Amino acid sequence: LDRTGNRSIAIVSANRNEGKSTVSCNLAAAIASVSNERSVALVDLDLRNPSLAGLLNIPIRIGIEQVLQGRAKLTEVCVPLREPQIDVYPCAHPHRAAHELLVLPSFQSLLKELEARYTAVIIDTPPTLLVQDSTLIVRHTSYAIAVARAGKSRVNRFTEMLDRLPSDKIMGKVLNNVPIPSHERDDDYYYATEELP
């Protein structure tokens, strides 16, 4: 992001329950941890099934969907977290016709405003193969990161998702929830009982 000057990253997955929202939260927290100022926004654009507010246990008064509808300002939606230092823009109410909001000029204006305010804008999106929302979002973001879950995601579905997205925007791929074999765990290193000389 520093090298290119780009700002926004959409986190995408092929289907539900592949860890996309968790990766979004963790990536935002990781970027914030290496920044000296409040410069990371985490945005819930899974407008049909929002989950970030629940994951982060934050209150919602006004949602990002109301900004897209022209019924609220971006500053009214922002929920600043103290630790990690990120600004969250949650979705308050599920919206069945989310794609209708994402084709409005207000979506592009919203994204430009966020990119002007923050060094990094992390966007949680709905499953790519279930609805067209993610492809609409990625069309306007700088990058996308594709998420798969070990033991759940299928290679053919993951490949189908990548085929639907612009290849030049794929910044990377994340395989999460990978079990660590017991012989590779190094618990003794952290819980050693013997004293050092």
Side-chain angles (χ1 to χ4, degrees), residues 1-12 111 115 121-123 125 134 137-146 165-172:
L1 295 176
D2 287 341
R3 188 177 69 252
T4 62
N6 292 316
R7 297 280 183 260
S8 53
I9 306 172
I11 310 302
V12 299
L111 195 55
E115 289 176 331
V121 180
I122 310 301
I123 301 171
T125 68
S134 290
I137 293 167
V138 171
R139 189 177 299 168
H140 299 288
T141 60
S142 305
Y143 300 112
I145 292 178
L165 300 172
S167 59
D168 61 324
K169 291 204 175 185
I170 303 296
M171 175 186 252

Side-chain angles (χ1 to χ4, degrees), residues 95-120:
H95 200 284
R96 288 191 173 189
H99 62 284
E100 294 178 358
L101 297 178
L102 296 170
V103 295
L104 294 173
S106 58
F107 171 59
Q108 294 179 55
S109 300
L110 165 74
L111 195 55
K112 285 179 182 176
E113 187 175 348
L114 287 167
E115 289 176 331
R117 290 185 184 193
Y118 297 95
T119 301

Side-chain angles (χ1 to χ4, degrees), residues 120-135:
V121 180
I122 310 301
I123 301 171
D124 190 28
T125 68
T128 304
L129 298 186
L130 299 185
V131 290
Q132 62 180 337
D133 305 1
S134 290
T135 55

